[in-house]
Amino acid sequence: MAKNEEKAARDVSNRYVNRELSWIQFNRRVLEEAQDPEIPLLERIKFLSIVSTNLDEFMSVRVAGIIDQIKAGYQKKDFSGYTPSVLVKRIMKLAEELVDDQYRTYRDVMRQLAKEGICFVHSYDDLNASQQKAMDQFFHEIVFPVLTPMAVDQSRPFPLVHTLGVYLAVVLRREGDDPEDEPYFAIVQVPSILPRYIELPLRLNSKKTEMMLIESVIKRHIRTLFSGYVPVSVHAFRLTRNADLTLNEEGAEDLLEEIEKELRKRRWGSPVRLEVERGMHPFALEMLTGEFEVGDNIFDFDGPLDLSFLMKFSVSLQGYDHLRYRDIKPVYPKEFTADDDEHVDLFPVLAKQDVLVQHPFESFDAVTDFIVQAAHDPKVLAIKITLYRVSGNSVLVQSLARAAEAGKQVTVVVELKARFDEERNIAWARRLEKAGCHVVYGLVGLKTHCKITLVVRQEQGGLQRYVHVGTGNYNDATAKLYTDVGLFTSHPVIGEDASALFNEMTGYSAPRHWKSFGVAPADLRDKLFELIRNEAENAKAGKPAKIIVKINSLSHQEMLDELYAASQAGVRIDLIVRGVCCLRPGVPGLSENIRVISIVDRFLEHSRIFYFENAGDPKVYISSADWMTRNLTRRIELMCPVFDKKLQQSLVNILHLCLEDNVKARELKSNGTYIRLQPDKAAKRSQFSAMTVDNWKVF
């Protein structure tokens, strides 16, 4: 390579952080929460689970996509300077280090839990007689009937191994055979329909809570599945397949049926990663690697595979509340509460003022009540809503169905392609259609990711529009776990844009010139560029110029360049980016005016808030969109202005709480690494401060 080409490649790699490598850094920050001795033990267990589920999705989607590029012979460098083949090697090395650290942490936390009287017993030899009898009975009555041993030999080909399922690889020899003869091989699926762990009977005079993993029970009784054979070894394994859907939306007569078909294909996705239990027999490993052809993408674990089960374990364990965070009770928004603490009718309140809410510190019940009241209000003529991810037993969906059955015009834009929620969304879509709702599956080639509800109500002065715009999904379960903000408004300009947006999603309306919204993929990116450039021009003119952005991910190359240019113009930029960040802050001559922090804490930071100083007349927005290529070019996303000055200040207060966090904030350095802030003054933890609503909300 010529010297100028080497310099260009070096300059590119210095200018941007690779997206996938930045994601691994994020998952390491999640792991750090599991390692934090200040966090209650059962909360630390949750973070160990999250590391596993995060890594599963990353491997099955992002890494799978890169491997597909390699198979297709694609070797062009990305904007961070990596070719696919070099990047995969780097990812796997870092992922292996991460997993090793995760399992060290798992063993450490388990030792500490054992001191609290909570432990997993992995060997039958450590059980007493009554416990062994209970596990024997459980196996024969519950487990054995659903097990299927699957032999692999010349007459029986390798069976389908489902993605992310736990299996046992069994090496056998026939009774009386020479130990030097080639052994036999079979696999047994650990039934996912059964609990991953079983609570053991209490020992005499003991209050210890003891559990045993179901695979340990199956291993103990493996001979019952192979009479006439002697088990040589039994070890667990797990396969990750490519889980990204490839849809031919243009050719699909029925998108719902097309997605159902692709979901079935997902079970056959090409192998991406093989996880095995440490100490696996060489013959079993040879059989697995020969079948799956995953190359070097093999992880061996000194511990149970798939730690995602720890989430349910940490939540369901009874009697150990001292090992958890204290429960918080979200407050119902004061604006919707009467003097006697009773909840009031929302529509008269919203006719007079806009209301901002922040979850989980304020109750999601206000959003549900907005839909429930609209469904029952005889003056309401129409309800329109976008649904991306919905909880298992959604009151909101039930209310929409009742509204349609009552004769109201109910339109629901359901995103069937919400990754890993496709089957649930298909079920809701069918139920809503049956109730009489107009169900729309969005636009071809685009995911509908915006979160908006429009209620049209007949009032004395004519029709009035009421709108809710949120940064998070209409999901009452995740609203207790994620930080999100939502705006209730009857502002006529927002109402007019909301109607136009639904018309565009459900009909043939051409993209319009929005009066207040920024909508992707039509114009959101350009509006953001315009806002950033305006700050740069103000800085050059000596006017007040500042940008504060809170998002989940930042990876859009043009957006990075716009932020770099604004920094070079003198704009002070604070970025609160929870996950992936491809920007390098603090680089002399490029980004010395940019600071980037990431907050990983008890709740998942999920709200998107944009602040632009605008020469002393601030513009403040909430949005569904992260600043990634997919959000700005391949999704229907929404950026909504907040006009009310008090609500603007509330959002600014939220941003400042984050920027002042010196307990859970990590700062991104120019070399692409994150450092935990060391408080040189009073500790400030933004999420804990926000639990007191008066700390951020202006009434």
Side-chain angles (χ1 to χ4, degrees):
M1 183 185 288
K3 285 188 177 181
N4 61 336
E5 290 177 317
E6 289 180 359
K7 182 179 184 300
R10 188 168 60 251
D11 289 345
V12 167
S13 67
N14 285 340
R15 190 177 175 93
Y16 309 106
V17 177
N18 177 268
R19 170 180 166 165
E20 273 62 49
L21 302 185
S22 179
W23 183 92
I24 291 176
Q25 287 264 29
F26 160 64
N27 213 27
R28 182 160 285 282
R29 296 195 294 279
V30 176
L31 178 57
E32 287 174 3
E33 294 302 290
Q35 297 168 336
D36 188 342
E38 299 299 317
I39 295 177
L41 278 172
L42 289 179
E43 303 294 341
R44 292 169 65 182
I45 284 286
K46 290 181 182 178
F47 285 106
L48 281 172
S49 171
I50 293 168
V51 170
S52 289
T53 52
N54 281 352
L55 196 57
D56 285 347
E57 181 171 351
F58 178 67
M59 288 288 174
S60 62
V61 178
R62 297 298 306 176
V63 176
I66 300 169
I67 291 174
D68 282 347
Q69 291 179 351
I70 295 171
K71 290 178 179 177
Y74 183 86
Q75 283 300 320
K76 185 178 179 181
K77 290 182 178 180
D78 63 20
F79 70 83
S80 67
Y82 279 91
T83 61
S85 55
V86 172
L87 181 57
V88 161
K89 289 179 181 177
R90 181 68 176 151
I91 287 171
M92 289 303 174
K93 181 177 184 297
L94 293 175
E96 187 174 1
E97 292 172 358
L98 176 72
V99 168
D100 285 345
D101 202 6
Q102 178 193 17
Y103 274 79
R104 277 193 296 271
T105 306
Y106 166 77
R107 292 189 292 273
D108 176 57
V109 173
M110 284 301 165
R111 282 191 292 269
Q112 295 183 55
L113 281 175
K115 294 176 183 177
E116 297 286 345
I118 305 167
C119 64
F120 279 91
V121 181
H122 296 290
S123 172
Y124 249 59
D125 295 335
D126 295 329
L127 303 180
N128 65 22
S130 65
Q131 290 174 324
Q132 287 190 9
K133 182 179 179 181
M135 289 301 97
D136 291 345
Q137 184 177 356
F138 179 80
F139 175 80
H140 289 293
E141 294 182 1
I142 306 297
V143 182
F144 179 75
V146 297
L147 293 179
T148 304
M150 294 175 283
V152 179
D153 54 31
Q154 290 183 339
S155 63
R156 288 169 289 196
F158 215 103
L160 171 65
V161 172
H162 295 282
T163 185
L164 302 179
V166 178
Y167 289 77
L168 298 178
V170 187
V171 178
L172 305 141
R173 63 179 172 82
R174 193 179 301 170
E175 291 178 353
D177 277 3
D178 187 334
E180 298 300 318
D181 290 346
E182 182 175 287
Y184 297 88
F185 180 74
I187 67 172
V188 178
Q189 183 175 10
V190 176
S192 58
I193 197 170
L194 297 178
R196 182 70 188 279
Y197 58 90
I198 309 103
E199 188 167 343
L200 296 166
L202 285 174
R203 297 177 190 265
L204 189 64
N205 299 322
S206 173
K207 294 183 179 179
K208 268 189 177 180
T209 299
E210 295 179 300
M211 274 76 57
M212 176 166 271
L213 290 170
I214 190 171
E215 57 261 39
S216 297
V217 179
I218 299 172
K219 286 180 183 179
R220 174 70 175 194
H221 297 87
I222 200 71
R223 291 194 70 157
T224 63
L225 299 173
F226 301 98
S227 60
Y229 290 79
V230 178
V232 176
S233 76
V234 187
H235 289 84
F237 74 92
R238 188 168 177 256
L239 183 68
T240 305
R241 295 183 181 275
N242 186 330
D244 209 14
L245 295 181
T246 304
L247 293 172
N248 177 21
E249 293 187 50
E250 292 280 2
E253 292 184 13
D254 189 321
L255 182 60
L256 188 146
E257 290 183 4
E258 177 74 9
I259 289 177
E260 288 179 322
K261 183 174 69 176
E262 288 298 321
L263 285 174
R264 290 190 290 272
K265 285 184 182 178
R266 184 180 274 172
R267 293 179 293 178
W268 291 97
S270 57
V272 175
R273 170 188 61 164
L274 176 64
E275 301 166 282
V276 299
E277 189 178 355
R278 188 156 295 172
M280 176 172 279
H281 193 283
F283 182 71
L285 189 58
E286 180 184 344
M287 291 292 290
L288 295 176
T289 54
E291 172 65 21
F292 300 133
E293 299 180 346
V294 291
D296 295 330
N297 302 341
I298 302 171
F299 293 72
D300 73 318
F301 296 152
D302 185 12
L305 303 190
D306 185 15
L307 296 182
S308 64
F309 75 89
L310 292 173
M311 179 63 74
K312 183 177 181 180
F313 166 71
S314 66
V315 172
S316 61
L317 197 62
Q318 299 295 313
Y320 292 92
D321 287 346
H322 64 289
L323 300 180
R324 298 185 174 93
Y325 282 126
R326 179 176 56 85
D327 280 344
I328 69 162
K329 185 172 177 58
V331 298
Y332 201 81
K334 189 182 294 185
E335 298 90 337
F336 299 140
T337 306
D339 292 338
D340 58 1
D341 289 336
E342 288 295 316
H343 301 170
V344 300
D345 188 354
L346 275 63
F347 296 114
V349 175
L350 296 177
K352 298 176 182 177
Q353 66 176 101
D354 292 355
V355 175
L356 181 79
V357 295
Q358 183 181 195
H359 315 299
F361 316 116
E362 291 183 296
S363 175
F364 190 76
D365 288 348
V367 179
T368 303
D369 288 348
F370 181 63
I371 307 298
V372 171
Q373 289 183 18
H376 289 90
D377 190 335
K379 294 182 180 179
V380 169
L381 306 179
I383 304 171
K384 302 184 181 186
I385 188 171
T386 58
L387 293 182
Y388 190 73
R389 298 188 196 276
V390 184
S391 65
N393 187 26
S394 175
V395 174
L396 187 148
V397 170
Q398 294 170 18
S399 296
L400 292 171
R402 281 197 297 269
E405 289 164 353
K408 301 182 190 300
Q409 291 291 311
V410 179
T411 303
V412 185
V413 182
V414 177
E415 181 45 73
L416 294 178
K417 302 184 292 295
R419 186 176 290 132
F420 304 121
D421 270 345
E422 298 96 342
E423 291 181 86
R424 179 182 294 170
N425 286 3
I426 287 171
W428 284 125
R430 292 196 186 282
R431 177 176 175 181
L432 290 168
E433 284 181 326
K434 189 175 181 180
C437 298
H438 301 294
V439 179
V440 180
Y441 303 136
L443 301 178
V444 171
L446 301 173
K447 277 190 179 181
T448 304
H449 193 248
C450 57
K451 296 89 170 59
I452 183 170
T453 302
L454 170 65
V455 174
V456 181
R457 192 170 186 263
Q458 179 69 59
E459 298 182 358
Q460 283 188 341
L463 293 181
Q464 176 67 54
R465 298 183 183 97
Y466 296 91
V467 178
H468 172 267
V469 177
T471 64
N473 299 313
Y474 288 109
N475 187 315
D476 56 331
T478 57
K480 298 173 184 175
L481 306 172
Y482 298 1
T483 69
D484 273 305
V485 293
L487 173 70
F488 294 93
T489 181
S490 61
H491 196 290
V493 173
I494 292 177
E496 187 175 334
D497 274 2
S499 289
L501 177 60
F502 277 103
N503 288 343
E504 187 172 316
M505 288 189 289
T506 62
Y508 286 111
S509 298
R512 61 179 268 129
H513 178 73
W514 305 99
K515 293 185 176 180
S516 61
F517 286 174
V519 177
D523 72 342
L524 176 54
R525 178 184 58 181
D526 293 340
K527 283 194 173 180
L528 288 168
F529 287 174
E530 182 182 334
L531 289 163
I532 294 170
R533 291 167 186 167
N534 181 59
E535 295 302 312
E537 292 301 317
N538 287 338
K540 292 175 184 176
K543 299 177 183 178
K546 181 190 293 185
I547 297 172
I548 309 175
V549 172
K550 183 177 184 299
I551 48 179
N552 300 328
S553 299
L554 172 60
S555 63
H556 188 278
Q557 185 180 3
E558 291 178 79
M559 188 68 72
L560 302 174
D561 292 339
E562 292 290 341
L563 291 169
Y564 285 147
S567 172
Q568 291 168 325
V571 180
R572 178 65 206 171
I573 303 172
D574 287 307
L575 303 175
I576 306 156
V577 187
R578 183 197 77 217
V580 169
C581 182
C582 297
L583 181 145
R584 292 187 186 273
V587 177
L590 179 69
S591 57
E592 63 261 58
N593 289 317
I594 304 178
R595 178 184 183 230
V596 179
I597 66 167
S598 169
I599 296 173
V600 179
D601 202 349
R602 175 177 178 176
F603 304 109
L604 181 77
E605 290 289 338
H606 195 252
S607 54
R608 291 96 165 184
I609 305 169
F610 312 152
Y611 171 89
F612 300 92
E613 180 69 27
N614 193 36
D617 184 19
K619 293 185 176 182
V620 185
Y621 301 85
I622 64 173
S623 181
S624 61
D626 292 312
W627 291 4
M628 306 173 73
T629 301
R630 70 182 188 191
N631 297 91
L632 300 177
T633 62
R634 300 194 300 273
R635 291 185 172 190
I636 301 176
E637 301 275 13
L638 174 61
M639 178 178 74
C640 176
V642 177
F643 294 121
D644 185 283
K645 294 297 181 184
K646 290 192 297 184
L647 303 193
Q648 285 186 357
Q649 188 57 52
S650 294
L651 290 169
V652 171
N653 291 345
I654 292 172
L655 295 174
H656 284 164
L657 283 179
C658 294
L659 293 172
E660 293 166 4
D661 192 310
N662 56 17
V663 176
K664 289 300 177 182
R666 282 84 159 176
E667 185 168 357
L668 175 60
K669 311 308 289 185
S670 57
N671 64 1
T673 62
Y674 286 79
I675 61 167
R676 188 187 287 270
L677 298 179
Q678 299 296 325
D680 55 359
K681 48 188 176 181
K684 293 186 177 180
R685 193 168 174 178
S686 56
Q687 290 190 2
F688 281 31
S689 296
M691 289 180 190
T692 303
V693 173
D694 289 342
N695 285 345
W696 59 269
K697 196 166 192 178
V698 180
F699 293 100

